[in-house]
Amino acid sequence: MTDYLVKAIDKTKNLRLLTITAKNLVQEAHLRHDTWSASSAVLGRTLIAGVLLAGAELTEKEELTVRLLGDGPVGPTVVTAKSDLTVKGYVKNSHIALPPKENGHIDVKTAVGQGWLEVTKDLGLKKPYTGQVPIVSGEIAEDVAYYLTKSEQIPSAVGLSIFVNPNNSIGEASGFMLQALPGASDKLVSSTIERINNLPALSSAFLDGMKPEELAKLILGSDCKILSKDDVAYKCDCSKKKYTNILATLKNSQLQEMIKEDHGAELTCNFCGNKYQFTENELKAILVKKQ
Ligand code: ZN
């Protein structure tokens, strides 16, 4: 099954909903970073949150970065999503597995810990905009909903789900983001929240073959309108040119040290693990160009 994001609106046009299935996307992140279960759950949920936010809020050529800065064992998690619904991300500690919770679920809250959730939007203006809220739950979905409600004044509900197989591969990844627009009545919002509270567990529903369109109908009602259906993917946009530009921002003395002592440099992309080698001559050329 391919990964895709569905945008839908309720019949009164006052509720906006995005639903997503993203198993391949999270599996790609798992393979690139060799994540163990708790790291997969934290990175996977944050990746899905990033794509949902991008789908809800970005227009052409814009991007946003979600930073989950908790003090738990997984460490900081960073995800960048673009308006074309591609996303990349990493966790500081990819080899974290924790004892399961009583209900058998991955203990995401403990893996994340206490701290801050930050969302930075680069909308092509001079300065990117950053909003920050404390981590209130650690389960990530509630934290993203809290961020939207507090920082962007958009009353929201978010669900994020990752199922990790016993061999650490990703069995299922899905989610939704509901946003109430200014015209939404209290009655409409409360009846929708009630439907969300009565949803089946996302993991088992998607493992059983549920599709994002079906989830949209369960949340908004069968008379909701599906507006679009778009592919989503894990994609890193790094290149040797990008790392050349990064090296050019270093101090001359740092570049000279790399040339003299290391006779070259190797840089690894945090987001995808690709390695970029620079020879002594390439470093010298960067140094000459700077002057
Ligand atoms: Zn990369």
Side-chain angles (χ1 to χ4, degrees):
M1 192 167 71
T2 53
D3 294 346
Y4 62 95
L5 175 117
V6 162
K7 289 185 194 173
I9 199 148
D10 76 307
K11 68 172 177 186
T12 74
K13 300 196 172 92
N14 286 306
L15 296 174
R16 175 166 60 177
L17 176 72
L18 293 90
T19 55
I20 185 172
T21 181
K23 173 185 157 181
N24 300 312
L25 185 162
V26 177
Q27 172 71 6
E28 174 79 20
H30 156 66
L31 292 175
R32 290 211 172 248
H33 297 291
D34 187 30
T35 47
W36 295 2
S37 58
S39 303
S40 293
V42 173
L43 179 57
R45 286 188 191 184
T46 315
L47 285 165
I48 294 177
V51 184
L52 288 168
L53 283 167
E57 307 200 329
L58 298 185
T59 54
E60 214 180 327
K61 292 195 176 152
E62 295 176 346
E63 65 174 52
L64 59 82
T65 296
V66 180
R67 290 185 185 82
L68 188 65
L69 306 170
D71 62 1
V74 164
T77 305
V78 180
V79 161
T80 296
K82 296 185 170 193
S83 49
D84 65 1
L85 303 179
T86 60
V87 67
K88 59 181 181 177
Y90 63 89
V91 281
K92 180 153 189 282
N93 301 310
S94 54
H95 287 177
I96 303 297
L98 297 171
K101 296 196 292 190
E102 263 177 32
N103 60 7
H105 292 177
I106 296 172
D107 193 349
V108 174
K109 190 186 172 82
T110 301
V112 169
Q114 299 286 313
W116 296 90
L117 171 70
E118 265 182 26
V119 179
T120 301
K121 284 190 216 165
D122 189 345
L123 308 177
L125 305 169
K126 267 189 191 158
K127 257 188 142 181
Y129 162 85
T130 298
Q132 193 191 51
V133 291
I135 293 172
V136 287
S137 143
E139 295 282 347
I140 305 172
E142 291 84 341
D143 299 296
V144 174
Y146 184 74
Y147 159 78
L148 284 167
T149 308
K150 280 279 165 190
S151 188
E152 301 197 8
Q153 282 86 47
I154 305 169
S156 304
V158 178
L160 302 168
S161 152
I162 304 288
F163 184 84
V164 180
N165 292 318
N167 68 0
N168 272 345
S169 66
I170 305 301
E172 183 279 322
S174 58
F176 68 84
M177 179 178 285
L178 174 79
Q179 299 189 333
L181 303 175
S185 69
D186 291 349
K187 196 176 155 221
L188 176 67
V189 171
S190 59
S191 64
T192 310
I193 294 295
E194 199 177 318
R195 279 202 293 268
I196 287 177
N197 291 337
N198 290 326
L199 284 178
L202 286 188
S203 273
S204 9
F206 274 83
L207 279 170
D208 288 344
M210 183 155 79
K211 293 190 160 53
E213 296 90 323
E214 291 159 354
L215 177 60
K217 286 179 181 170
L218 286 181
I219 296 174
L220 291 181
S222 55
D223 50 1
C224 75
K225 192 174 173 196
I226 306 288
L227 301 174
S228 61
K229 186 176 153 180
D230 295 295
D231 289 346
V232 299
Y234 191 95
K235 190 177 165 195
C236 189
D237 53 359
C238 65
S239 62
K240 184 141 182 185
K241 188 164 183 288
K242 189 174 161 186
Y243 281 92
T244 306
N245 293 340
I246 290 173
L247 284 170
T249 65
L250 295 180
K251 285 187 191 146
N252 287 357
S253 59
Q254 286 174 295
L255 283 167
Q256 275 152 355
E257 202 177 294
M258 285 178 182
I259 292 166
K260 259 195 200 153
E261 289 177 19
D262 308 325
H263 306 287
E266 183 182 88
L267 301 178
T268 305
C269 176
N270 276 338
F271 287 102
C272 69
N274 280 353
K275 289 186 187 337
Y276 293 93
Q277 325 272 350
F278 287 84
T279 63
E280 206 172 326
N281 282 339
E282 283 171 323
L283 292 177
K284 280 180 185 163
I286 292 170
L287 198 55
V288 168
K289 234 181 154 184
K290 269 172 66 103
Q291 281 149 4

